[in-house]
Amino acid sequence: MSKGNKKYFIIDFDSTFTQVEALDILGEISLKDSPERASRLQQIKDITDKGMNGSFSFRESLEQRISILNAHKNHLPKLVEELKKVVSTSFKRNADFFEKYADRIYIISNGFKDFIVPIVGDYYIKPENVCANEFEFDTDGNIIGFDKENVLSSNNGKVEQLKSLELKGDIYVIGDGYTDYEIKAAGLANKFYAFTENVERANVTENADHITPSFDEFLYLNKLNTAISYPKNRINVLLLESVHSKAIENLKKEGYNVEVYPAGLDEDELVKKIKNVSILGIRSKTQVTKRVLDNANRLISIGAFCIGTNQIDLEACLEKGVAVFNAPFSNTRSVVEMAISEIILLLRQLSDRSAKMHEGIWDKSAKGSFEIRGKKLGIIGYGNIGAQLSVLAESIGLQVLYFDIEEKLALGNATKCESLEELLSESDIISLHVDGRKENANIIGEKEFKQMKDGVIFLNLSRGHVVDIDALKNNILNSKIAGAGIDVFPEEPKSNDDEFVSPLRGLPNVLLTPHIGGSTLEAQENIATFVPNKIMEYINTGSTTNSVNFPNLQLPTLQNAHRLIHIHLNMPGILAKINQVLADHQINIVGQYLKTNEVIGYVITDIDKEYDKDVIKALRSIEHTIKFRVLY
């Protein structure tokens, strides 16, 4: 921007200020009861797109859309109500900018003042700074046309409108359509920013001075005030292992730059990929090692889109100041339902009987087939999944025993066993629901199988490394195990294209599933909402609630202040040093929050808006600082 020149901001309305084309929404309202609703709405959309990409006469586009709409003045309040819900996300979070520069912001739109003024007025933009068309109504209030004398109803109307304003200074245009680019092409603007948060048009972006995936990016590039200290599209997200599309949608909606990869990555591959990644999303296959983390120079957070986190080096994450979040409850019900179904299938040998039927063998017999009622179910690990399994199992007639190394309250009529051996020796069915800690490796081996009843049903839907697979195979072959359901394995394929190799293949009355205990659409969608929300909350507010490795802090909403996050090694005196730096720079502390664990200290400090930039450098320089960032 030129020094000393007044700066003006020209902003488009449809698909820029709002996420949608307003006439499309008006059509949904006005054509609600029309039998031709679907076809007419598609016509409106097609005409809009042709007008916006410059391949269709704008006036002709406007006339055709209005004739199709069949709209009335009474539809406009509902339209305004709906449009207020879909103001672009990055505009909403930068309301301070609109308040500060209200006198220099103009909305120049081929839309209509009738609905634009009420929307932008909430963001301090004055009615006189809104340049747009106006509807014409008949005596009954039907919308029959528009003011054809208005330059914005004609081709090249935005150019003529801006000329008439005679603005003296630097002019910056933000929009998504070809008509916005025409302002720059006419020599009336310093730069044209193609706004792609809501829609991206190739013939617009290829002519832009800058592509602006969010309003934050525009503010960042022009060193203007913004609600956050970084543009969100500069946060790079890498999602592996076919994470649910809802997570991709949520993170993109936040303004992040999201890359998706369908399979897991090995250490060498991840080392190459991780360099500029801010957020990493994985499931159970990808191992996040210290070497990976040593090559992650921008990593803020890791999301485990599953329950377990044993695939992540949590201690190394702490040392790097990387917060880890998982989904401890989101797929609990799915795993429990699968366990119940497998118990019934195995007790009735339904899988093997079905296979015989497909081979043409009719084997009608009750041999080896049992009811579930009255059997003793032994649950090893009485956490979220084990406890819910306990409740459902009891409701269908099972007697529940459980064993956990931690003290856990029994639910319903479940009975706690004092030792693992006690549970193994008394149970007719055994289901494993332990976590992935290293100490749990091979907790069920040859010795434990010998302690079980003959003909026991055995399930492992927890972690692959907790069962000695060769010992399990031997005890299936000698009929100690009458049936087994195994969903997790010590070694699993990285993708669906790789072969599954296991000693358990081909064994009788054995259900083998590809680690899908939590893989229901409901569970994956829950996880895809829960994990990104926790990560976004951490990035936006500093809250670490439900973090697996960070001290948990739930923070209040920040008002009229900057929030400073300081992560450091848990050493004496660092909080005092932080406060001394602030005192030396005459910074007033509005609020301060501290929590520690055995490795790190996590300090959140809210300070007055006005502060010396040197204070940031001083805080970064405090000895034992791991990571420091300014949120607002």
Side-chain angles (χ1 to χ4, degrees):
M1 290 186 177
S2 305
K3 289 184 178 179
N5 278 7
K6 203 169 186 178
K7 305 170 184 70
Y8 293 94
F9 309 98
I10 310 302
I11 302 175
D12 182 37
F13 184 76
D14 290 296
S15 296
T16 297
F17 202 95
T18 59
Q19 300 169 31
V20 296
E21 293 288 325
L23 292 187
D24 291 353
I25 305 302
L26 180 56
E28 291 178 5
I29 295 168
S30 64
L31 298 170
K32 180 181 177 183
D33 299 318
S34 170
E36 300 175 346
R37 181 175 185 271
S39 62
R40 288 196 176 204
L41 288 177
Q42 188 58 50
Q43 287 179 54
I44 293 169
K45 185 180 184 305
D46 292 344
I47 294 167
T48 299
D49 288 342
K50 288 178 181 178
M52 291 303 293
N53 65 26
S55 63
F56 204 69
S57 160
F58 177 73
R59 175 164 285 193
E60 187 179 357
S61 158
L62 199 55
E63 288 174 341
Q64 288 191 20
R65 282 182 288 168
I66 287 178
S67 67
I68 295 169
L69 280 171
N70 194 30
H72 190 276
K73 182 181 287 188
N74 292 341
H75 293 135
L76 296 179
K78 178 64 174 176
L79 173 62
V80 170
E81 179 186 338
E82 293 302 313
L83 291 177
K84 285 189 176 186
K85 297 175 185 176
V86 289
V87 171
S88 293
T89 305
S90 63
F91 280 66
K92 285 181 185 177
R93 63 175 169 252
N94 287 289
D96 286 352
F97 167 82
F98 292 100
E99 183 176 16
K100 181 174 181 179
Y101 293 97
D103 290 339
R104 288 182 262 164
I105 297 172
Y106 286 80
I107 301 294
I108 298 185
S109 170
N110 296 121
F112 291 81
K113 283 187 178 182
D114 307 70
F115 53 76
I116 295 175
V117 169
I119 306 298
V120 302
D122 290 347
Y123 292 82
Y124 311 100
I125 298 172
K126 300 175 180 179
E128 58 266 32
N129 283 14
V130 175
C131 304
N133 286 295
E134 294 183 68
F135 286 125
E136 287 185 345
F137 305 91
D138 65 15
T139 54
D140 294 323
N142 296 303
I143 297 174
I144 56 172
F146 51 88
D147 178 9
K148 293 182 174 60
E149 298 300 313
N150 190 324
V151 294
L152 287 165
S153 70
S154 304
N155 289 347
N156 217 34
K158 289 188 177 183
V159 171
E160 296 306 316
Q161 180 67 66
L162 189 55
K163 284 180 181 177
S164 70
L165 292 176
E166 298 183 343
L167 302 177
K168 306 298 182 184
D170 292 333
I171 295 175
Y172 300 88
V173 178
I174 304 131
D176 66 282
Y178 195 81
T179 55
D180 303 304
Y181 160 67
E182 286 177 336
I183 297 173
K184 169 67 187 302
L188 298 178
N190 296 59
K191 288 183 180 179
F192 166 58
Y193 295 83
F195 187 78
T196 60
E197 183 173 320
N198 305 314
V199 64
E200 186 169 338
R201 297 181 171 92
N203 72 327
V204 177
T205 56
E206 66 190 15
N207 287 299
D209 294 293
H210 292 283
I211 296 173
T212 308
S214 71
F215 198 56
D216 306 298
E217 174 79 356
F218 171 78
L219 298 176
Y220 179 83
L221 289 171
N222 291 290
K223 297 180 173 60
L224 296 163
N225 69 314
T226 175
I228 50 177
S229 60
Y230 51 87
K232 294 202 171 189
N233 70 289
R234 289 176 185 248
I235 291 183
N236 297 321
V237 181
L238 176 62
L239 299 179
L240 307 179
E241 304 181 58
S242 298
V243 166
H244 192 280
S245 59
K246 189 72 174 179
I248 302 168
E249 178 188 330
N250 289 339
L251 292 163
K252 281 186 174 180
K253 188 175 181 180
E254 187 69 6
Y256 300 159
N257 182 34
V258 181
E259 180 183 356
V260 179
Y261 192 76
L265 297 176
D266 64 26
E267 187 179 56
D268 289 340
E269 292 169 326
L270 192 52
V271 162
K272 292 176 184 176
K273 278 276 193 183
I274 200 72
K275 184 177 180 183
N276 292 311
V277 170
S278 310
I279 299 168
L280 174 65
I282 63 171
R283 294 175 74 182
S284 56
K285 295 187 182 80
T286 302
Q287 301 293 311
V288 183
T289 64
K290 185 177 187 303
R291 179 175 165 234
V292 168
L293 292 162
D294 285 342
N295 285 273
N297 57 0
R298 291 181 59 184
L299 196 61
I300 299 171
S301 181
I302 296 174
F305 286 76
C306 52
I307 295 176
T309 55
N310 56 296
Q311 71 276 38
I312 302 168
D313 189 331
L314 296 177
E315 186 173 339
C317 284
L318 269 179
E319 293 169 357
K320 290 286 183 179
V322 176
V324 178
F325 297 89
N326 68 338
F329 315 109
S330 299
N331 65 2
T332 299
R333 177 72 184 200
S334 296
V335 177
V336 168
E337 287 186 3
M338 183 164 162
I340 294 289
S341 66
E342 290 201 347
I343 290 169
I344 296 171
L345 285 169
L346 293 167
L347 280 169
R348 298 293 298 273
Q349 298 187 9
L350 293 181
S351 178
D352 285 6
R353 289 171 187 266
S354 175
K356 285 183 179 180
M357 291 288 285
H358 283 284
E359 295 170 5
I361 301 171
W362 182 271
D363 183 15
K364 179 175 170 59
S365 169
K367 184 180 178 181
S369 184
F370 302 93
E371 285 188 355
I372 197 170
R373 180 174 48 181
K375 302 295 185 294
K376 289 184 179 179
L377 168 63
I379 300 173
I380 303 173
Y382 206 63
N384 297 322
I385 293 175
Q388 190 169 142
L389 174 58
S390 170
V391 174
L392 264 66
E394 188 177 318
S395 71
I396 58 174
L398 285 160
Q399 297 179 39
V400 178
L401 311 175
Y402 73 92
F403 173 76
D404 198 298
I405 58 172
E406 297 179 9
E407 189 65 34
K408 296 290 177 71
L409 178 67
L411 300 180
N413 295 311
T415 300
K416 177 186 175 184
C417 292
E418 296 303 321
S419 67
L420 179 59
E421 182 178 357
E422 179 188 348
L423 181 140
L424 296 175
S425 64
E426 293 190 17
S427 300
D428 302 304
I429 306 154
I430 294 168
S431 192
L432 274 168
H433 299 285
V434 298
D435 62 34
R437 68 185 75 182
K438 293 178 181 178
E439 294 81 3
N440 283 337
N442 289 338
I443 58 169
I444 303 295
E446 192 60 56
K447 173 187 171 186
E448 288 71 29
F449 285 120
K450 285 181 179 177
Q451 293 170 351
M452 298 179 190
K453 288 182 177 181
D454 291 338
V456 70
I457 298 295
F458 180 79
L459 303 183
N460 181 19
L461 309 183
S462 60
R463 301 291 184 273
H465 70 281
V466 303
V467 176
D468 183 331
I469 292 295
D470 291 327
L472 174 59
K473 176 183 177 179
N474 293 337
N475 282 276
I476 292 170
L477 292 175
N478 67 23
S479 299
K480 181 78 172 184
I481 305 295
I486 309 298
D487 186 51
V488 288
F489 305 88
E491 294 182 6
E492 298 179 359
K494 288 181 183 176
S495 76
N496 291 343
D497 296 327
D498 298 330
E499 183 184 1
F500 166 65
V501 178
S502 172
L504 302 179
R505 283 170 54 176
L507 297 179
N509 204 27
V510 173
L511 296 171
L512 301 179
T513 49
H515 205 146
I516 56 170
S519 297
T520 60
L521 292 178
E522 294 91 345
Q524 293 306 303
E525 188 165 343
N526 288 340
I527 292 169
T529 300
F530 184 87
V531 175
N533 282 351
K534 288 300 173 185
I535 291 174
M536 291 185 291
E537 185 181 20
Y538 171 62
I539 289 175
N540 293 339
T541 72
S543 289
T544 54
T545 309
N546 292 114
S547 172
V548 178
N549 62 334
F550 265 44
N552 276 210
L553 268 178
Q554 180 65 49
L555 299 168
T557 302
L558 183 63
Q559 299 289 341
N560 299 318
H562 281 280
R563 177 161 284 172
L564 313 178
I565 290 185
H566 196 278
I567 307 168
H568 54 269
L569 292 177
N570 188 7
M571 307 288 285
I574 293 184
L575 181 61
K577 291 178 182 178
I578 292 171
N579 290 341
Q580 187 60 56
V581 167
L582 298 175
D584 290 345
H585 289 80
Q586 297 184 320
I587 301 296
N588 182 49
I589 296 175
V590 179
Q592 194 167 55
Y593 315 88
L594 165 67
K595 208 160 188 182
T596 63
N597 61 22
E598 64 277 6
V599 179
I600 67 166
Y602 187 64
V603 177
I604 306 291
T605 306
D606 294 345
I607 65 173
D608 288 349
K609 269 190 175 289
E610 297 302 322
Y611 66 94
D612 186 338
K613 298 290 184 181
D614 289 341
V615 73
I616 304 303
K617 183 178 179 180
L619 289 169
R620 291 185 194 276
S621 301
I622 292 174
E623 189 179 6
H624 303 303
T625 297
I626 296 173
K627 193 166 285 186
F628 175 83
R629 62 190 178 103
V630 181
L631 288 190
Y632 309 90

